[in-house]
Amino acid sequence: MASAHVDRPLLYLEEYKLKQDANDYGLSDEFWDFERFKQQLQIVVVRYEQNDLEFDMIGVSPAVANVFRRLMLSEVPSMAIEKVHIYNNTSIIQDEVLAHRLGLIPLRADPRMFEYKANETDPPTAQDSLEFELKVKCTRRNKDVSEVTNNDNMYKNHSIYSGQIKWVPIGNQSTVYTEASVGPIDDDILISKMRPGHEFDIKLFAVKGVGKDHAKFSPVATVSYRLLPDITIERPIVGNDARLLQKCFSPGVIEIDKDDCAYVQDARYDSCSRNVYRYPQLADAVTIARVRNHFIFTVESLGALKPDVIFVEAAKALKKKCRMFLDEIKGN
């Protein structure tokens, strides 16, 4: 087995275990050096589509990669509904369940424009809160209608969606924001099904918070990372074996050329399932590994902040934590 290049330290995936390269001592023999860290660190954006971002973080340890993952999940703030004042609820949903559902509706408001609420018992202000209301009542459209299967023809407001939540400006907020810039991100989130006689009269108050306090404050649907796969075909594989090898990997990883010979097209999106080890004739033909300092990040934003902004805010949070730690050490 060939040794890994010094810039691409590999972890080999054997049939039943992981194996480290013989010339790579891994994290146990690495000492922190800031200048070397600056030289090795690379961030490469691979894909950016609306609220989805895929980028590579290269030349860092798992601890550093995991720091950014955790910060984006739980330390970058967002606005979410925290207080729900229910004045009337005659639907079949209990008050506490309804309040929980409303709290999980993501809001478009930019948290950087607001302050943290100093005391949760203080009245809401234009600087730290957003107020919304949900006032709807289900009624029968026409008592004489013969249609008894189509709810849209029979009832008005039989399905309550997040788009029916209305913004109520506090103070001078109407001169700074618009309803489209602070309201629910999606208008089609179902809140409740209703029938004639069911009614909501609710006031909602959103505040700034972080995901470590409650998941509703997390600005992302998910943040994940994985190591970059590295696949090497050790000998020519042709014919039926080539097609069998192709099926052992994720689509697009292994392709077959005009000579009916298998080759690695793109190892990046392989799941590293090790299916190839099920076939004795192929088990020694491929080396499967992962680059241990090359992390593929996937960030899926809810929409209030763009995914690249979330990463920058996570870096700011890390910088603030480092400064606080240094101050503690210095005794300031």
Side-chain angles (χ1 to χ4, degrees):
M1 183 179 295
S3 297
H5 191 274
V6 66
D7 292 331
R8 288 172 62 89
L10 300 181
L11 292 172
Y12 295 100
L13 279 69
E14 297 187 345
E15 186 172 4
Y16 298 111
K17 63 179 180 180
L18 294 175
K19 182 179 179 181
Q20 195 161 287
D21 188 86
N23 295 323
D24 176 28
Y25 296 96
L27 302 175
S28 60
D29 200 40
E30 290 185 355
F31 295 95
W32 173 261
D33 182 83
F34 182 65
E35 292 301 323
R36 185 181 63 182
F37 176 78
K38 288 198 300 182
Q39 293 175 0
Q40 293 180 347
L41 175 63
Q42 299 179 54
I43 296 179
V44 181
V45 175
V46 176
R47 179 175 57 87
Y48 194 163
E49 299 174 356
Q50 295 183 341
N51 293 325
D52 295 336
L53 172 66
E54 181 181 320
F55 67 91
D56 291 358
M57 184 178 289
I58 307 168
V60 300
S61 68
V64 175
N66 197 45
V67 160
F68 281 99
R69 183 190 68 86
R70 290 175 62 93
L71 287 172
M72 285 187 278
L73 281 169
S74 60
E75 297 279 356
V76 177
S78 70
M79 300 292 289
I81 294 169
E82 177 73 0
K83 298 291 185 182
V84 179
H85 296 178
I86 301 177
Y87 299 99
N88 191 10
N89 171 24
T90 56
S91 73
I92 62 172
I93 300 183
Q94 298 92 336
D95 289 354
E96 59 271 22
V97 177
L98 178 61
H100 184 261
R101 289 177 66 86
L102 292 169
L104 294 175
I105 295 175
L107 302 178
R108 196 175 294 278
D110 189 336
R112 296 171 294 180
M113 303 293 291
F114 296 86
E115 301 174 358
Y116 287 102
K117 201 170 179 65
N119 190 330
E120 64 177 21
T121 60
D122 292 342
T125 66
Q127 290 73 39
D128 60 27
S129 300
L130 286 168
E131 182 178 344
F132 301 90
E133 68 176 8
L134 179 60
K135 288 187 176 183
V136 288
K137 183 177 182 180
C138 180
T139 57
R140 192 176 296 275
R141 287 189 182 276
N142 189 345
K143 296 182 179 180
D144 300 327
V145 70
S146 59
E147 177 64 65
V148 294
T149 58
N150 191 326
N151 290 332
D152 290 331
N153 293 336
M154 296 170 61
Y155 311 118
K156 181 180 179 181
N157 292 327
H158 65 89
S159 294
I160 309 303
Y161 293 96
S162 53
Q164 295 172 264
I165 296 175
K166 301 303 179 184
W167 174 49
V168 180
I170 301 174
N172 66 340
Q173 285 184 342
S174 59
T175 63
V176 181
Y177 313 108
T178 63
E179 186 160 5
S181 67
V182 298
I185 293 174
D186 299 302
D187 292 336
D188 58 351
I189 300 175
L190 181 65
I191 298 173
S192 174
K193 290 283 190 178
M194 304 181 82
R195 287 297 181 266
H198 293 178
E199 182 179 358
F200 284 153
D201 186 359
I202 306 171
K203 283 190 179 296
L204 316 167
F205 296 91
V207 298
K208 184 176 180 178
V210 292
K212 67 179 181 180
D213 292 331
H214 195 287
K216 68 184 178 183
F217 289 112
S218 180
V220 295
T222 183
V223 177
S224 63
Y225 64 77
R226 58 190 179 90
L227 293 175
L228 176 71
D230 184 277
I231 300 172
T232 305
I233 297 179
E234 303 292 350
R235 57 178 173 82
I237 303 174
V238 297
N240 291 333
D241 284 346
R243 284 179 281 276
L244 181 60
L245 179 69
Q246 187 180 37
K247 293 180 180 179
C248 291
F249 294 89
S250 301
V253 175
I254 303 294
E255 295 295 340
I256 301 174
D257 61 20
K258 60 182 180 180
D259 297 323
D260 211 21
C261 184
Y263 67 96
V264 179
Q265 171 73 21
D266 186 4
R268 179 183 182 86
Y269 296 108
D270 184 57
S271 61
C272 293
S273 63
R274 307 186 192 182
N275 281 339
V276 67
Y277 293 122
R278 298 169 56 193
Y279 305 100
Q281 72 272 28
L282 299 177
D284 63 341
V286 179
T287 298
I288 306 174
R290 287 184 182 253
V291 184
R292 68 167 176 83
N293 67 347
H294 188 136
F295 298 87
I296 301 173
F297 270 82
T298 301
V299 182
E300 183 182 340
S301 169
L302 290 174
L305 295 175
K306 291 297 183 182
D308 59 327
V309 174
I310 294 174
F311 179 81
V312 172
E313 291 298 313
K316 291 179 181 179
L318 178 60
K319 183 178 179 180
K320 182 178 179 181
K321 286 177 177 290
C322 291
R323 290 193 181 278
M324 290 176 59
F325 182 64
L326 290 174
D327 291 341
E328 288 290 333
I329 294 176
K330 295 175 182 178
N332 295 335

